[in-house]
Amino acid sequence: MRPPRCLLMTTGNNTVDFHPSLDRNGKIYLSTINTWSEPSWCPAQSLSSLLISIQSLLSQNPYHDEPGFEQERQLGDSKRYNEIISHETLRVAVCEMLENLDSCPEQFREIMIQQFFKFYDYHILVCTENMDNDDQLMRDPFRGRCGSFQYSSIFTRLVQLKSELEIIELSRKEQQPTYSNIQNIIESSDNRALIGLSDDELISDDIFNDVEKYESENKNEKAEDDDDDV
């Protein structure tokens, strides 16, 4: 049995390596999917275990995960690499992916929006703390120059995204059916054709009127019985 094929979609149009094992072209170097050395894929593994393996790649010091770089080649390389990954995570994995939400798998979109709101304050904090680095060159220890820091621009994009996603979420919630909305549809004769039900299948106003009439008659009868007892 062959392993599942995996493609990393968060690459900034093939410009960003988020980890030595996550290629900018979307390739994931992992032994369990036979793209790296042993141990290889076996049928006993599942998609869940595969996703956990990919997640485990995202360590706090990815620089040292590159074979042969267990020790820094130049002092501070690991820190510089982390700074680049932090910046590109906000620029690409957060802003760019959410700005192009329609290109993402539909099953992930709601989760992505929820995670954005959950970590929004933290993202804003990272931007404000690093704006002094704007326009400084990013020097990838593996690939050399790779653009410059642009935290002010990312800050603006995050604020704009929050505004747009709040509108999307509000619209989505308004479209979700509630009990009162469903009841109004059922009770409205104007919507009978819309929901495809006949008069006999609907809970009509006459039924509610009959109930009110029945309750009123019962109250009157009870009052008369009380008078007779007196």
Side-chain angles (χ1 to χ4, degrees), residues 122-172:
Y122 174 73
H123 295 333
I124 290 295
L125 178 63
V126 172
C127 288
T128 54
E129 289 182 344
N130 289 278
M131 285 183 182
D132 290 343
N133 295 326
D134 277 3
D135 298 325
Q136 293 184 23
L137 291 178
M138 295 189 293
R139 299 183 183 276
D140 188 324
F142 305 116
R143 299 184 182 275
R145 294 182 180 180
C146 55
S148 60
F149 293 104
Q150 298 294 333
Y151 278 105
S152 296
S153 174
I154 294 173
F155 179 93
T156 301
R157 293 168 70 182
L158 288 170
V159 173
Q160 180 65 27
L161 268 171
K162 183 174 184 288
S163 176
E164 293 174 356
L165 292 176
E166 283 176 339
I167 294 174
I168 292 175
E169 281 294 277
L170 180 61
S171 175
R172 183 181 64 83

